[in-house]
Amino acid sequence: MPKFLWGAATSAHQVEGNNIHNDWWAWEQKLPPGRRSGKAADHYHRFPEDFALAKSLGHNAHRLSLEWSRIEPAEGSWNERAIEHYRQILEELKRQGLTSFVTLHHFTNPIWFARAGGWARLDAARTFARYVRVVTQRLGDLVDFWQTINEPMVYVKKSYWDGDWPPAGHRNFLAMERVIGQMACAHQAAYDVIHHHSLVAHVGLAQNVVAYSGSLAPLYDWYYNHRFFNLTRGRHDFIGLNYYYSSTKPAQPWAGAVSDLGWPIDPAGLTKELLDFKKYQLPIYITENGIADADDSRRADFIRSHLRAIEVAQAAGADVRGYFHWSLLDNFEWAAGFTPRFGLVEVDYNTLARHPRPSAYVYKAIIEQHQTSQNVVDRNEN
Ligand code: BGC
């Protein structure tokens, strides 16, 4: 097992292409072409090239998600070709020496599941656990770290509070609470299923955190950052944190302090969140952190400053063991389509050619430097 884990993350629907059996795909068909995922980055076919690229950029780990709708395209019917495909993907990661972080749910649902009520169904958790059982039996031997659900609070907020993600148009606090309840049960059930299969498995989830400030900060912090974790307390072998921004408005937005999406850049917020999550006394992995930056003018500094922020937290006792940049590749940024560019590697959507951005080499140099200098990041490892 490598020491500190260095890598990048992706999710199935955002990079694979042609995920025709999920609710996002169904929804996108009503949108203009630029906002449909289509063939995305064609990672479904190009994964060996993409993993080789990650390896050549110095990574020793990689985070990806499995697409439930490929594995179970109709209720209770398991697609052997899709399962075999994911075996090949995970085997390829092993061949490249990349430790795997595998997410089981990253925002998309099979159409049959969505049509039957999705996460608001009372048997949603049980239905998800059945999928997890099949995946664990068939792929579990190749997975190093599991993340059951990606950012449950982002999912419920976008889909059941803002109403701008599928099932779209739902703005209902009670439905949102019901979905949170089902997702919490789903995480617990998935944790138990995976551990039943393997006592040594590492299971967690990916929690999006926002560094809040202002008078309502304690309320937001309790509800958004910590509540899901507390509802599922006791069933986490590690904490996966995804951090992008704080709620602090930049004083000078023109001075490069925001991303192309207008998100404030605030590395100190990451230190703050790490020190806060330290209280759970579990190893922490940053499983997403990145910036929409099409001309790559801010990404290198973004990486440097956030890695420094991690070191500050480590020096104060936070047990951080890995960092995954979002994202390895430019990808389909959900309702925003293909315009935001989050990739260390640029994807030319006409030719699908991959071009590592200069910041990808800056990240590589930092990784190499940490691996040789044994500085605070490595010293923290046991
Ligand atoms: C999500 C990713 C998304 C990224 C940038 C995260 O909340 O997990 O799917 O692309 O943020 O918006």
Side-chain angles (χ1 to χ4, degrees):
M1 185 70 77
K3 297 201 292 175
F4 195 84
L5 297 181
W6 298 98
T10 62
S11 90
H13 190 67
Q14 294 180 269
V15 293
E16 284 183 348
N18 292 313
N19 271 315
I20 60 173
H21 296 299
N22 75 32
D23 54 350
W24 265 85
W25 182 276
W27 186 65
E28 290 158 24
Q29 301 319 303
K30 296 173 218 131
L31 303 177
R35 291 182 57 201
R36 297 183 204 150
S37 57
K39 56 183 168 2
D42 193 32
H43 178 68
Y44 196 78
H45 298 110
R46 294 166 197 248
F47 69 89
E49 174 194 343
D50 291 337
F51 296 161
L53 204 49
K55 183 78 188 166
S56 77
L57 291 170
H59 304 190
N60 62 12
H62 184 71
R63 174 176 179 229
L64 52 75
S65 76
L66 307 180
E67 178 59 36
W68 181 6
S69 67
R70 284 190 189 271
I71 292 175
E72 191 180 4
E75 179 156 18
S77 120
W78 308 99
N79 182 336
E80 289 303 321
R81 280 188 52 204
I83 295 171
E84 184 47 38
H85 174 82
Y86 285 118
R87 274 202 80 78
Q88 285 171 17
I89 285 207
L90 296 168
E91 277 165 1
E92 185 62 24
L93 286 179
K94 286 245 173 298
R95 247 193 307 280
Q96 297 280 354
L98 296 164
T99 296
S100 58
F101 270 60
V102 174
T103 312
L104 291 159
H105 183 274
H106 196 124
F107 298 156
T108 58
N109 300 299
I111 290 175
W112 59 264
F113 177 79
R115 286 211 176 120
W119 285 96
R121 279 161 62 136
L122 288 177
D123 63 348
R126 200 153 28 95
T127 309
F128 181 72
R130 184 181 57 196
Y131 147 70
V132 176
R133 189 166 302 113
V134 171
V135 165
T136 309
Q137 285 164 354
R138 303 293 303 279
L139 304 172
D141 56 317
L142 295 170
V143 175
D144 296 312
F145 290 81
W146 298 93
Q147 290 187 287
T148 56
I149 301 176
N150 182 67
E151 302 183 343
M153 293 308 291
V154 172
Y155 176 77
V156 296
K157 180 177 178 293
K158 292 283 196 186
S159 297
Y160 291 91
W161 183 248
D162 299 338
D164 42 76
W165 282 8
H170 287 239
R171 292 193 183 87
N172 181 328
F173 183 75
L174 290 180
M176 180 166 89
E177 280 294 303
R178 204 164 50 235
V179 169
I180 291 173
Q182 279 300 316
M183 285 193 144
C185 290
H187 169 81
Q188 291 168 324
Y191 182 95
D192 290 346
V193 164
I194 297 167
H195 274 284
H196 182 75
H197 185 81
S198 160
L199 290 176
V200 295
H202 302 282
V203 186
L205 53 80
Q207 173 68 38
N208 180 276
V209 284
V210 174
Y212 290 109
S213 53
S215 56
L216 288 177
L219 178 67
Y220 288 143
D221 200 37
W222 165 75
Y223 188 72
Y224 187 86
N225 289 341
H226 289 275
R227 182 155 166 260
F228 197 87
F229 188 82
N230 283 319
L231 287 172
T232 51
R233 200 86 179 252
R235 285 190 174 86
H236 296 268
D237 303 320
F238 65 90
I239 294 173
L241 291 187
N242 295 357
Y243 176 79
Y244 287 88
Y245 53 78
S246 67
S247 67
T248 312
K249 294 270 173 301
Q252 303 166 304
W254 59 89
V258 295
S259 76
D260 290 349
L261 286 168
W263 297 357
I265 300 171
D266 186 2
L270 177 55
T271 308
K272 176 171 172 262
E273 292 310 314
L274 287 170
L275 293 179
D276 194 13
F277 275 79
K278 184 181 134 197
K279 63 181 171 231
Y280 298 118
Q281 298 189 312
L282 288 169
I284 303 175
Y285 295 86
I286 309 297
T287 50
E288 285 183 35
N289 172 243
I291 177 168
D293 179 24
D295 65 9
D296 204 40
S297 59
R298 286 148 293 173
R299 189 172 286 100
D301 275 346
F302 182 96
I303 293 172
R304 280 192 206 99
S305 58
H306 285 78
L307 291 175
R308 265 198 304 271
I310 293 172
E311 291 190 340
V312 172
Q314 286 180 315
D319 183 9
V320 186
R321 300 191 185 189
Y323 174 85
F324 293 79
H325 192 75
W326 183 271
S327 175
L328 178 63
L329 303 166
D330 284 339
N331 58 51
F332 176 69
E333 178 55 23
W334 307 111
F338 287 103
T339 311
R341 300 284 187 144
F342 275 93
L344 289 168
V345 176
E346 180 186 356
V347 175
D348 176 333
Y349 288 116
N350 293 317
T351 62
L352 292 171
R354 274 73 166 140
H355 303 288
R357 295 194 161 98
S359 57
Y361 296 106
V362 171
Y363 183 38
K364 178 180 184 178
I366 295 172
I367 298 171
E368 286 171 352
Q369 187 194 329
H370 277 93
Q371 282 165 345
T372 50
S373 74
Q374 292 291 306
N375 76 356
V376 66
V377 170
D378 292 333
R379 274 208 313 273
N380 189 53
E381 272 300 292
N382 46 35

